[in-house]
């Protein structure tokens, strides 16, 4: 899937053959904010405007613009992977949860 980024927000991008238009929505927010354009330039400008409008609306209404997450994540993995994680966590003297959190934090740091 194609995405756009602006001011730390991500917009997903799709194309409608029927309407011959690019369209998308802002991800990671509470609510639905769409944008569209007939060219990449139009789509990008519409995305930027949608983010700016959304942030202005949130400021006026006193709303936190980012979606809130609980911090709890249920991930499905194979039994073999689960077993390997359990063994490695035990060897390190930490919980499975701590092992996974550390692995995710390291991966995220390497990507940013």
């Amino acid at each position: 899937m194609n995405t756009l980024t602006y001011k730390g927000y991500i917009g997903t991008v799709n194309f409608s053959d029927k309407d011959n238009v690019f369209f998308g929505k802002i991800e990671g927010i509470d609510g639905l904010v769409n944008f569209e354009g007939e060219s990449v330039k139009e789509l990008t400008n519409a995305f930027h405007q949608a983010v700016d409008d959304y942030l202005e609306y949130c400021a006026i209404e006193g709303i936190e613009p980012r979606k809130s997450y609980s911090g709890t994540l249920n991930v499905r993995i194979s039994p073999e992977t689960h077993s390997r994680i359990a063994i490695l966590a035990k060897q390190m003297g930490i919980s499975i949860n701590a092992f996974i959190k550390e692995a995710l934090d390291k991966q995220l740091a390497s990507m940013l």
Side-chain angles (χ1 to χ4, degrees), residues 32-44:
L32 179 61
V33 178
N34 297 314
F35 53 92
E36 67 177 52
E38 293 183 7
S39 68
V40 173
K41 184 175 182 173
E42 269 188 32
L43 180 75
T44 302

Side-chain angles (χ1 to χ4, degrees), residues 15-67:
F15 182 75
S16 169
D17 287 329
K18 178 184 172 199
D19 300 320
N20 198 35
V21 67
F22 294 101
F23 65 96
K25 69 176 186 170
I26 301 174
E27 300 291 336
I29 63 172
D30 288 322
L32 179 61
V33 178
N34 297 314
F35 53 92
E36 67 177 52
E38 293 183 7
S39 68
V40 173
K41 184 175 182 173
E42 269 188 32
L43 180 75
T44 302
N45 290 337
F47 171 59
H48 291 184
Q49 188 63 55
V51 170
D52 291 340
D53 290 348
Y54 173 72
L55 291 173
E56 182 179 340
Y57 169 78
C58 289
I60 290 169
E61 296 295 321
I63 298 170
E64 174 61 38
R66 298 266 183 206
K67 183 174 186 172

Side-chain angles (χ1 to χ4, degrees), residues 95-108:
S95 68
I96 290 173
N97 192 65
F99 180 90
I100 292 170
K101 181 185 177 310
E102 186 177 319
L104 289 172
D105 288 343
K106 284 180 183 177
Q107 180 65 30
L108 288 170

